[in-house]
Amino acid sequence: MQGASGGNVKTHMDYAYELDLVVKPDSRAPLFEREYAAFTGAGVPLFSLGGGYYRYALIDILARFHARRGYFIAETPIIASTYLYQVSGHLDFFRQNMFLFKIEDHDFAIKPMNCPYHILIFLSHLARYRQKVRLPFKIFEAGRVHRYEPSGSLYGLLRVRAFTQDDAHIITPEDKAVDSLVSVFEEMKLLLEKLFLMKLDPQNITLRLSLSDKEKIGSEFMGTRREWEASETALEEAAKTLRDRYGFDYYKEEGEAAFYGPKINVIMRVEESGIEKEWQLGTAQFDFNLPRRFKVYDAVREIYGSDTRVFIIHRALMGSIERFLSVYLDYAKGRMPFTLSPVQFAVVAIKVGDPSVDEKIAKLAESVHKGLISEGYRSGMIETTKTSLSGEVRRIESTIKPAVTVYVGAREAEEGYLTVRPYIHSEKKRISKKVSIGENPHIDVIMAVKDLEEGIVELAGYPPRIPGDVSHLL
């Protein structure tokens, strides 16, 4: 198979280009002797129209999913005074990965992390509403961040300078830390299984606990021995709970913790072409650095009492939208879930050369296509002939990969039914449904594939509706 980049095996960027998720940075802009990357800059992905649909639908689902699970939703600025990152410590320890600039002789940074902003929001609420603020306090943001990466390390969507984290922070009392950690994993499992149709089971999932070297606490690992021991105990208790509940095994890596706290990572094993690879999914990390620097411990004790101990947990279920997408495209061979697919429906009108019949076919196909858009879906329509049909189908299936294909031919137009073929991820193939139609054929099509959105309803309350006529993508 020829990849869009000219190789024999498709990469995630080939899939992303074919699905119209991204503008290829190494392709030339028309009438310019320059590549698109010359306009955007290296490591700054330019999402195309299909990518816009993907991002907005995904972020809508993420926001509603988290809100339904007790998280507050945040939207924080893309720039900040460097004082914010001076207090957080990033300016001292992360400066080489930050973009810094001046405005009217004041120093600013493009946001490399969302966490300092989230702590400011928490402190603001604590000062205004005091004991009305309940713990655990959970705050979520699909936050765009920018970090400097050397040009030699940049690759597709996997390693970039601009990306969006599904970022959340949990400020939890010590006695609720285990429950908070277990909840993070269950949120990740629910999201990936219901939205991305990935099966997480003991055969492909392992938990990795990154712990401190106790001899280096206070030098290479900040915080007190008591803080480390309490948080690492909570990590292992959570891992044991997940093992007992779901059968997932875990292992410990001593000395592999971040300097600011221990963490638990979810590792998925994926087999590709006979080779087993590891893919890091969600992560939850304790942090002793930010709460101390921002005086969170002091503020909490002032409000809730001197004996109140809290932890701050950083967590991400996907890591970043871009990096997750890059690995998922390889994992799923470019097959996007129905709700996130740039082309949700492809309506194929198969003309036969008889003007009267072809008119019926075109009228029915157009009715279905426009009706789907009116109901909030993304639909594309193409016309073909019986002799060209197989070639058109191969082309569409190898590139844009619509989630559902609807065929309208002579028999369908004459007999009042449609052939609907959704792609079923669990079976890795399309199945055919013969759908009888009435006055509103597009509604009959929607009802025939409504099960494709059931998982999204469970996650977010309802599936996002971002309609579009995407015929030009077919």
Side-chain angles (χ1 to χ4, degrees):
M1 180 181 293
Q2 276 297 103
S5 61
N8 291 323
V9 178
K10 288 186 178 181
T11 69
H12 75 270
M13 285 299 286
D14 293 316
Y15 292 124
Y17 174 68
E18 291 171 347
L19 292 170
D20 194 50
L21 295 173
V22 299
V23 174
K24 282 187 67 179
D26 58 353
S27 60
R28 289 193 175 273
L31 305 181
F32 283 89
E33 292 301 317
R34 304 297 298 274
E35 297 177 340
Y36 283 103
F39 297 89
T40 62
V44 183
L46 176 60
F47 279 80
S48 190
L49 297 183
Y53 290 125
Y54 161 78
R55 290 178 65 92
Y56 275 92
L58 175 59
I59 290 171
D60 188 3
I61 292 167
L62 290 174
R64 294 179 182 278
F65 170 67
H66 284 87
R68 286 158 62 90
R69 295 186 65 87
Y71 289 79
F72 298 107
I73 308 302
E75 174 72 24
T76 62
I78 201 70
I79 65 173
S81 164
T82 52
Y83 181 60
L84 177 65
Y85 294 104
Q86 180 182 326
V87 173
S88 71
H90 290 104
L91 206 59
D92 293 329
F93 297 103
F94 202 70
R95 177 186 288 266
Q96 70 276 13
N97 294 105
M98 296 174 66
F99 294 103
L100 305 171
F101 62 100
K102 283 184 178 291
I103 299 178
E104 297 178 346
D105 293 327
H106 293 284
D107 294 323
F108 282 81
I110 300 178
K111 180 175 63 172
M113 311 276 186
N114 302 299
C115 36
Y117 273 124
H118 290 187
I119 292 175
L120 290 184
I121 293 171
F122 170 70
L123 291 174
S124 172
H125 271 249
L126 202 60
R128 291 184 64 187
Y129 306 110
R130 301 184 71 78
Q131 289 185 347
K132 290 181 181 179
V133 178
R134 297 182 180 180
L135 300 178
F137 183 91
K138 304 190 293 184
I139 183 169
F140 166 80
E141 178 179 10
R144 182 73 67 90
V145 298
H146 293 74
R147 299 177 189 171
Y148 171 72
E149 297 282 354
S151 58
S153 68
L154 301 175
Y155 175 60
L157 298 172
L158 190 63
R159 194 73 177 265
V160 293
R161 290 173 174 164
F163 56 97
T164 305
Q165 296 177 309
D166 66 322
D167 208 5
H169 296 87
I170 303 171
I171 300 171
T172 178
E174 185 176 336
D175 62 355
K176 294 185 178 180
V178 174
D179 290 341
S180 293
L181 289 166
V182 171
S183 178
V184 166
F185 177 84
E186 292 181 331
E187 288 162 357
M188 185 200 69
K189 187 174 188 295
L190 190 61
L191 182 73
L192 299 189
E193 290 189 341
K194 297 297 182 181
L195 175 55
F196 289 98
L197 309 174
M198 302 167 66
K199 185 64 177 174
L200 276 61
D201 57 43
Q203 282 68 50
N204 63 6
I205 291 293
T206 306
L207 308 177
R208 181 177 68 214
L209 278 59
S210 298
L211 310 178
S212 66
D213 181 337
K214 300 298 182 294
E215 301 302 316
K216 297 179 180 178
I217 293 175
S219 56
E220 294 185 17
F221 299 98
M222 73 168 300
T224 66
R225 190 178 186 94
R226 188 211 171 277
E227 287 172 328
W228 280 92
E229 288 177 348
S231 59
E232 290 178 357
T233 297
L235 277 179
E236 187 157 10
E237 285 185 28
K240 287 178 179 177
T241 299
L242 294 171
R243 182 184 61 190
D244 295 343
R245 191 171 296 177
Y246 301 105
F248 301 117
D249 202 0
Y250 71 90
Y251 64 97
K252 297 184 280 188
E253 293 278 4
E254 294 192 359
E256 293 299 314
F259 77 90
Y260 52 79
K263 56 186 175 179
I264 181 170
N265 296 318
V266 179
I267 308 300
M268 184 176 190
R269 294 181 298 279
V270 179
E271 186 175 307
E272 293 181 12
S273 303
I275 301 174
E276 188 175 272
K277 299 180 181 179
E278 288 191 345
W279 175 11
Q280 181 176 312
L281 299 177
T283 184
Q285 305 178 6
F286 282 93
D287 187 349
F288 311 135
N289 177 50
L290 292 180
R292 188 164 282 117
R293 283 177 170 269
F294 281 94
K295 302 182 180 181
V296 171
Y297 296 145
D298 298 330
V300 166
R301 289 176 186 138
E302 179 186 329
I303 302 298
Y304 298 104
S306 59
D307 60 342
T308 303
R309 293 180 178 273
V310 295
F311 288 126
I312 287 188
I313 299 173
H314 302 254
R315 53 109 285 194
L317 307 182
M318 296 169 61
S320 84
I321 288 176
E322 292 77 8
R323 182 179 181 278
F324 183 91
L325 178 60
S326 72
V327 185
Y328 184 77
L329 288 173
D330 284 335
Y331 166 82
K333 301 295 182 287
R335 293 283 179 185
M336 298 294 289
F338 174 80
T339 306
L340 302 180
S341 180
V343 179
Q344 294 178 291
F345 293 94
V347 180
V348 182
I350 310 164
K351 300 251 180 121
V352 295
D354 182 325
S356 62
V357 177
D358 286 349
E359 184 179 354
K360 290 182 181 179
I361 293 170
K363 186 176 180 180
L364 176 56
E366 186 77 15
S367 171
V368 172
H369 168 59
K370 289 185 176 179
L372 291 170
I373 296 171
S374 72
E375 293 295 324
Y377 295 95
R378 297 180 292 283
S379 175
M381 176 179 162
I382 62 168
E383 295 184 351
T384 185
T385 64
K386 279 190 174 182
T387 55
S388 302
L389 178 62
S390 60
E392 291 282 20
V393 170
R394 281 195 302 271
R395 179 182 60 80
I396 293 171
E397 288 294 327
S398 66
T399 54
I400 197 65
K401 297 179 177 62
V404 180
T405 308
V406 181
Y407 291 99
V408 186
R411 184 172 294 178
E412 285 88 350
E414 295 288 350
E415 298 181 15
Y417 73 91
L418 295 169
T419 302
V420 180
R421 302 196 71 223
Y423 185 85
I424 307 301
H425 283 254
S426 60
E427 300 181 29
K428 296 185 177 181
K429 67 178 183 180
R430 291 194 184 276
I431 63 169
S432 289
K433 297 184 177 184
K434 186 176 179 179
V435 178
S436 297
I437 56 174
E439 186 176 345
N440 296 301
H442 63 283
I443 299 297
D444 300 311
V445 171
I446 293 169
M447 294 303 295
V449 296
K450 65 178 182 178
D451 57 315
L452 298 180
E453 295 183 314
E454 287 178 353
I456 310 304
V457 173
E458 183 177 343
L459 291 177
Y462 76 95
R465 291 283 179 263
I466 307 178
D469 184 342
V470 290
S471 298
H472 71 284
L473 300 183
L474 298 180

